[in-house]
Amino acid sequence: MRIKNRIFSSAALASAITLGLTSQAVAQQDWDAINEETLRHFRALLQFDTSDPPGRELPAAEYLRDVLEAEGFEVEMLANNDERPNVVTRLKGNGSKEPLLIMAHTDTVNVDPAKWTFPPFSATVDGGYVYGRGAVDDKDNLAAGLMVMLELKRQGIKLDRDVIFLAESGEEGATEFGIEFMINEHFDKIESEFCLAEGGSVARVNREVQYAGIQSVEKIPYQINLTATGVAGHGSVPLQTNPVVRLAKAMAAVADWPSPIRLNETTAAYFERLAGISPPDAAARYLAVLDPLGPKRI
Ligand SMILES: [Zn+2]
């Protein structure tokens, strides 16, 4: 896995900072310094082996807690397993709007180091890329979310809504330690109108959302069962009537299918508001997403 760190740090951070807060302009910042700090946290988080199973997110959680506490945040470590805590903190808004939740998960899927060019927990920077397990799932969002909290506080941005940060454990198949636990035992700590999670998804957080990847319904999985029949053959004679050949053609047709893109109300509002607080060229790009000739709303 690799990620071009510049793209990640500026775009994710800027869009997250501006979402749903106030209409005040974000002050001119030293983005080089912010990029550098973001990369430092990103690499530090990648260097914790939190592959799940077994998970053991504790060191990553402690890292986040320590960074946040050093900046004056009150941080809670909420857990039903000492090795797998969830990290929660909150910036208070003026209460005129419901909270925004920024969440990311501290665990990663497993890894076979033999297949890696660089050790998967080295966070090696090479040629403008950062190599590490979790670099695009989900320690990129974790680092971005952390930086959003830090910058909102440092810049003293006045908030209409509370901004909550949740670093969740067990997303990769052990949600009983993470989001399920949080929803069942500590829902008041994360209840919010919007949630930014993996991939920048936006959703209303409610008790019905019982799984880790809280997302809006933009991504709709379709399961397709393909059954091919035909005559048996020999590998040296790939008959057109052979079921494997037919199956391959069917697979190719599925792969070539241009899946329609439709935006629901939540995501459309996200792009509209983002356009409203962006420079003209960026605003045009966001509004193009809503173009009636482009993606359709649902
Ligand atoms: Zn993920």
Side-chain angles (χ1 to χ4, degrees):
M1 291 290 170
R2 60 188 196 175
I3 182 166
K4 204 155 195 175
N5 61 61
R6 283 191 173 280
I7 295 171
F8 138 72
S9 51
S10 319
L13 199 57
S15 73
I17 281 182
T18 50
L19 182 121
L21 306 177
T22 68
S23 56
Q24 67 192 297
V26 175
Q28 207 55 42
Q29 297 303 313
D30 183 352
W31 286 103
D32 285 342
I34 292 175
N35 272 339
E36 193 183 319
E37 183 184 359
T38 307
L39 181 60
R40 180 160 52 80
H41 292 314
F42 181 42
R43 293 190 64 226
L45 289 164
L46 284 171
Q47 287 167 354
F48 297 114
D49 179 355
T50 55
S51 48
D52 186 9
R56 195 167 189 278
E57 297 89 343
L58 180 62
E62 287 177 333
Y63 178 88
L64 293 166
R65 178 199 61 195
D66 292 349
V67 170
L68 287 162
E69 284 186 346
E71 303 257 347
F73 284 86
E74 281 182 27
V75 182
E76 287 186 284
M77 302 275 269
L78 301 168
N80 57 3
N81 177 319
D82 290 345
E83 300 282 298
R84 314 197 66 173
N86 302 277
V87 183
V88 186
T89 192
R90 177 185 295 251
L91 275 173
K92 295 293 286 179
N94 64 20
S96 63
K97 293 179 179 170
E98 293 177 62
L100 164 69
L101 172 65
I102 297 173
M103 63 182 279
H105 59 89
T106 42
D107 60 332
T108 72
V109 291
N110 284 128
V111 62
D112 179 357
K115 293 182 176 161
W116 282 60
T117 310
F118 301 104
F121 300 103
S122 65
T124 302
V125 180
D126 185 74
Y129 292 89
V130 181
Y131 290 79
R133 172 53 97 219
V136 291
D137 182 13
D138 190 30
K139 289 175 174 172
D140 49 343
N141 287 314
L142 207 50
L146 172 66
M147 287 303 298
V148 169
M149 299 305 285
L150 297 179
E151 284 302 313
L152 286 175
K153 192 165 199 298
R154 288 170 185 166
Q155 295 178 31
I157 292 179
K158 293 190 171 33
L159 302 170
D160 286 344
R161 52 177 100 236
D162 289 6
V163 178
I164 306 165
F165 176 63
L166 167 64
E168 155 214 9
S169 64
E171 194 269 352
E172 303 290 2
T175 53
E176 66 270 28
F177 302 112
I179 197 67
E180 277 183 55
F181 164 70
M182 290 301 300
I183 287 174
N184 293 333
E185 305 295 329
H186 297 288
F187 188 70
D188 56 315
K189 311 267 188 195
I190 60 168
E191 189 168 14
S192 47
E193 183 177 12
F194 293 105
C195 169
L196 275 178
E198 285 179 69
S201 303
V202 184
R204 185 171 184 94
V205 180
N206 57 45
R207 286 183 187 276
E208 279 69 55
V209 180
Q210 290 279 338
Y211 53 90
I214 294 180
Q215 295 192 341
S216 195
V217 290
E218 301 296 359
K219 278 201 316 197
I220 303 171
Y222 287 101
Q223 188 172 354
I224 301 174
N225 292 318
L226 296 173
T227 305
T229 56
V231 298
H234 187 274
S236 62
V237 188
L239 295 172
Q240 292 299 311
T241 51
N242 181 277
V244 176
V245 173
R246 288 177 169 168
L247 193 58
K249 286 183 176 173
M251 286 293 294
V254 170
D256 286 343
W257 179 61
S259 59
I261 298 174
R262 304 188 196 95
L263 300 182
N264 64 21
E265 189 189 344
T266 314
T267 311
Y270 173 75
F271 282 111
E272 276 166 3
R273 292 184 198 175
L274 203 55
I277 53 172
S278 299
D281 56 333
R285 214 165 48 243
Y286 297 135
L287 291 174
V289 175
L290 305 172
D291 189 303
L293 298 176
K296 300 280 185 291
R297 295 193 208 187
I298 53 174

